[in-house]
Amino acid sequence: MFQDPIYNQKVNIPNSSIELVIKREDLIHPFVSGNKFRKLKYNIKQAKTTRLRPILTFGGAFSNHIAAVAFAGKEHGVPTIGIIRGEELRLKKHLNPTLQFAKLNGMQLKFVSRDDYKKKTHSEFLSLLKDEFGAFYMLPEGGTNNLAVKGCEEILQPIDYSYDYVCCAVGTGGTIAGLINASKEHQKILGFPALKGDFLQEDIRKFANRDNWKLITDYHFGGYGKIKPELISFINTFKKNHNIPLDPIYTGKMLFGIFDRIANGYFPENSKILAIHTGGLQGIAGMNEMLKRKKSPLIEV
């Protein structure tokens, strides 16, 4: 499963000297795509060589990480357990597409209250999980650890060193940390957080070994998992114009931000920008279910 193809796709920007190229990490694998592929590459290898089985990890109802871990675990013969935020989800008659996919791929799901979920790094809570499931190989929420950052360092290849800016969406900070570590001195790494607030700075610094980066926090659209009609319109128009699907949680927000910054003169003339498409397209189905209930426009697939 783990290989390193390169899919760089140029995006035309009318009446601009800016060059924008999308690194199509979403095309690496049909189910473990983008940064999840990168983050799991070395963690799966480590889990297979250790006696700490199964892999236990954490995520929300629409988590790309949960879906990717479930499929990768099945493909590599490693059992998986997902600790899911939101005890109310257990009471629903039907699982959403993300959780249904995880379950179909053999992941054992445990739903916990939002208060308990906040304790996911506490030793007492982890001890209770060990009492219930036995010894396990733990992956943090979003999959960010040293091995994940190592995998994300491989996103940038020699062909990418000519770009002035490298942009990526930011969730837990592992992907941008890998990009920072792999970048060249002349490159600026721009992160577009999908969550509200500027608290990710310290999390990124734990893994990053350079200072050539910045977080642009203006394009979260209300926070994680939150979207607005203008974002849906942008995603649908972008796909129509460039034949590139975008997820509404991460990459869609990043590209919206890049285009807005280009329009407002943030990037110098003749800048070369590489935007990392981190996948996450599996989340569109679940998001559209929610949008249907709200009678909102849907993301075209």
Side-chain angles (χ1 to χ4, degrees), residues 21-248:
V21 170
I22 312 294
K23 183 174 249 329
R24 298 291 306 276
E25 292 278 291
D26 59 304
L27 298 177
I28 289 178
H29 189 278
F31 302 112
V32 188
S33 69
N35 61 340
K36 301 310 175 191
F37 176 98
R38 304 292 185 177
K39 288 181 175 182
L40 288 173
K41 179 177 180 178
Y42 294 108
N43 273 295
I44 287 288
K45 289 181 179 179
Q46 180 69 14
K48 290 178 72 174
T49 60
T50 183
R51 293 183 179 181
L52 292 177
R53 302 282 190 92
I55 293 175
L56 181 143
T57 195
F58 306 84
F62 300 102
S63 170
N64 297 320
H65 173 67
I66 287 293
V69 169
F71 187 90
K74 179 181 179 181
E75 190 163 90
H76 289 271
V78 181
T80 56
I81 299 168
I83 308 302
I84 309 301
R85 179 180 63 247
E87 194 172 28
E88 72 279 2
L89 297 171
R90 179 177 56 84
L91 304 176
K92 292 191 174 183
K93 291 182 179 179
H94 303 288
L95 295 174
N96 70 38
T98 298
L99 297 179
Q100 185 177 20
F101 177 84
K103 188 174 181 180
L104 287 173
N105 280 281
M107 177 174 275
Q108 183 177 349
L109 303 178
K110 177 179 174 65
F111 298 94
V112 300
S113 69
R114 296 172 190 277
D115 286 339
D116 282 345
Y117 191 84
K118 292 176 182 178
K119 304 172 186 175
K120 59 185 178 294
T121 59
H122 296 183
S123 57
E124 296 87 352
F125 182 66
L126 294 175
S127 293
L128 290 174
L129 292 177
K130 287 179 181 177
D131 290 342
E132 182 173 352
F133 298 110
F136 51 76
Y137 181 93
M138 191 184 84
L139 275 178
E141 182 181 38
T144 292
N145 58 15
N146 286 318
L147 290 176
V149 172
K150 178 183 177 182
C152 289
E153 289 173 1
E154 297 175 358
I155 293 173
L156 290 184
Q157 300 293 318
I159 193 176
D160 304 320
Y161 295 145
S162 64
Y163 294 95
D164 306 302
Y165 297 89
V166 179
C167 301
C168 76
V170 179
T172 55
T175 303
I176 191 173
L179 294 170
I180 292 164
N181 295 347
S183 66
K184 298 300 182 182
E185 290 184 5
H186 71 276
Q187 294 182 305
K188 182 81 171 182
I189 313 301
L190 301 179
F192 292 75
L195 298 85
K196 266 187 178 181
D198 203 24
F199 59 91
L200 287 165
Q201 299 274 355
E202 290 305 313
D203 290 340
I204 294 167
R205 289 194 180 99
K206 292 176 185 176
F207 299 102
N209 57 23
R210 290 175 178 271
D211 295 320
N212 61 334
W213 57 281
K214 179 181 180 180
L215 294 185
I216 298 177
T217 59
D218 303 325
Y219 302 99
H220 53 72
F221 286 86
Y224 181 77
K226 303 292 181 63
I227 59 174
K228 296 181 180 179
E230 57 264 40
L231 178 61
I232 298 172
S233 176
F234 173 81
I235 289 172
N236 289 339
T237 301
F238 191 87
K239 187 181 182 214
K240 180 180 178 181
N241 290 343
H242 307 291
N243 196 29
I244 301 176
L246 304 175
D247 84 285

